[in-house]
Amino acid sequence: MTLGSSSSSSSSSSSSSTFSPSSTSTTISSSLTSQITSSHKNKYSSVPYPLTQTSNEEQDRMVAQHYLLRTAFNGRDYMASSMTPLLEQGCVVLDMGCGTGTWAMELATKYPASRFIGLDQVALFPKDIKPKNCHFATCDVTSLPIPDASVDYIFQRDLNWGLMSHQWLPLIKEYMRILKPGGWIELLEMDIETQSSQRQERAFNDKLIYGLLMRQQDPFVARRLPSILAISGFRRVSSQFQSLPLGWGKAHASNISSTSCSEYARAAASQYRFMLQSLCPWLSTVMGYSVDKYQMVIDQLVVEWAQAHTYVKWHSAVAQKPYH
């Protein structure tokens, strides 16, 4: 069974030109606070990207994630069902944050009349062995070298790890610019906070969420994808989510009479565990753990997941650019 699916503050300050001990104390305090904050920011921003993106293990994980999500969303590689006729006829598709390029290459094979373009900041995609209608390039994903109104469909998956909070709305504005009138956009992101968690998993969640916030990233953006699209001017916004069980239950099981959990649930737990391991160089520093202690905690979390029936949500939002 599937667990679940569904459709600034401001501050002010004052200063005085008159010398006083209290104002001097305030100045010293502010200076120390600034130094401490800078030190914390250096700790949390010690790497440009939280995941160990260029490791072979992380690339294998991204490929496995593609097939896991296909199963989670009932065999579908995209939720923008209105795009299917156009994909068959021929259109231009942009895969943002394409990673290893698996999604773009598989859909390029399925829809040979369409042109697929995968963009990412790091070249993890194939350079030679790929479908003829599939092209890859590296670029700054927040400033797209693409003409206005030239793309029919934009697909973005799991890009939040590489985006700062303040970059989301400008990026969606860029999407609006490059989409043709009537074009479609689809965003698919994981909720960073697991659900139905026990004590150690909750503490781990808190550290991960705090670490991302200190990096000026948004750990809860997956829950707000529909509102982000709506306030950016998109129409016909729809959303859904799927809950992936971490190593328990019979979801997508071929033999429901079996006493063990399904292969799908086991794969979901394995994939999530590999993601946490990929975070180790950054997150172990944030948590103040040695690598050995971090790995020991991960082993303990796996046991908790099965006991507590922990799951992780993936949120999808689809919307259309207005014709006028």
Side-chain angles (χ1 to χ4, degrees):
M1 69 173 181
T2 301
L3 289 174
S5 59
S6 83
S7 322
S8 64
S9 63
S10 63
S11 62
S12 61
S13 61
S14 61
S15 62
S16 172
S17 59
T18 303
F19 173 81
S20 71
S22 60
S23 64
T24 302
S25 175
T26 300
T27 302
I28 294 173
S29 176
S30 297
S31 177
L32 289 173
T33 301
S34 177
Q35 292 176 34
I36 293 170
T37 301
S38 177
S39 174
H40 282 183
K41 285 184 177 179
N42 290 337
K43 174 184 176 180
Y44 295 104
S45 305
S46 58
V47 294
Y49 191 80
L51 297 163
T52 52
Q53 194 174 21
T54 57
S55 70
N56 291 332
E57 292 80 7
E58 172 59 11
Q59 293 174 47
D60 289 344
R61 185 196 70 81
M62 286 189 282
V63 173
Q65 177 176 275
H66 168 78
Y67 295 106
L68 181 67
L69 290 174
R70 173 186 289 174
T71 302
F73 284 88
N74 302 308
R76 301 169 65 185
D77 286 319
Y78 59 95
M79 303 303 112
S81 55
S82 299
M83 280 303 304
T84 300
L86 196 56
L87 287 167
E88 293 171 343
Q89 296 167 14
C91 64
V92 178
V93 180
L94 179 63
D95 180 9
M96 282 295 298
C98 62
T100 56
T102 308
W103 184 91
M105 290 190 292
E106 293 214 344
L107 266 73
T109 301
K110 185 175 182 178
Y111 299 110
S114 290
R115 181 186 179 198
F116 290 80
I117 303 168
L119 297 181
D120 211 321
Q121 297 183 121
V122 180
L124 304 178
F125 41 76
K127 293 179 174 60
D128 301 311
I129 303 175
K130 54 185 176 59
K132 291 187 296 184
N133 60 326
C134 187
H135 311 275
F136 296 110
T138 57
C139 74
D140 180 355
V141 296
T142 61
S143 180
L144 305 177
I146 300 173
D148 295 357
S150 59
V151 176
D152 296 284
Y153 175 39
I154 296 172
F155 179 82
Q156 173 193 304
R157 181 171 68 192
D158 206 20
L159 191 59
N160 191 39
W161 294 109
L163 291 177
M164 299 295 105
S165 299
H166 69 272
Q167 292 177 319
W168 267 93
L169 288 177
L171 179 59
I172 301 300
K173 184 178 180 180
E174 272 287 89
Y175 290 161
M176 180 70 83
R177 178 184 67 80
I178 66 176
L179 271 176
K180 296 177 183 178
W184 289 86
I185 180 172
E186 178 171 345
L187 308 176
L188 182 62
E189 297 289 341
M190 183 187 73
D191 191 342
I192 297 298
E193 185 177 27
T194 56
Q195 305 297 316
S196 184
S197 306
Q198 289 185 345
R199 179 188 60 81
Q200 189 155 268
E201 173 74 9
R202 289 195 298 271
F204 195 94
N205 278 337
D206 290 345
K207 289 287 188 180
L208 175 55
I209 289 168
Y210 183 70
L212 290 172
L213 288 171
M214 290 298 292
R215 286 175 57 86
Q216 308 303 311
Q217 294 186 262
D218 186 349
F220 305 112
V221 73
R223 307 173 187 179
R224 301 187 294 103
L225 297 177
S227 61
I228 290 173
L229 290 170
I231 65 174
S232 298
F234 284 92
R235 299 292 180 264
R236 299 179 66 182
V237 180
S238 63
S239 65
Q240 61 175 293
F241 68 85
Q242 293 294 336
S243 301
L244 282 62
L246 300 181
W248 59 273
K250 308 294 184 182
H252 299 283
S254 56
N255 180 12
I256 59 175
S257 63
S258 172
T259 57
S260 61
C261 72
S262 65
E263 286 299 319
Y264 163 75
R266 189 175 292 111
S270 176
Q271 199 277 334
Y272 193 75
R273 177 177 183 164
F274 279 125
M275 186 202 74
L276 296 183
Q277 290 174 335
S278 184
L279 287 167
C280 177
W282 168 71
L283 190 53
S284 61
T285 302
V286 168
M287 301 177 77
Y289 288 171
S290 67
V291 171
D292 288 343
K293 183 174 181 180
Y294 182 90
Q295 296 294 348
M296 181 185 69
V297 170
I298 299 303
D299 292 340
Q300 294 168 349
L301 293 182
V302 173
V303 176
E304 278 196 2
W305 296 341
Q307 293 174 344
H309 288 188
T310 302
Y311 57 95
V312 61
K313 289 183 178 181
W314 277 83
H315 295 259
S316 167
V318 176
Q320 185 180 34
K321 177 178 178 176
Y323 283 97
H324 303 291

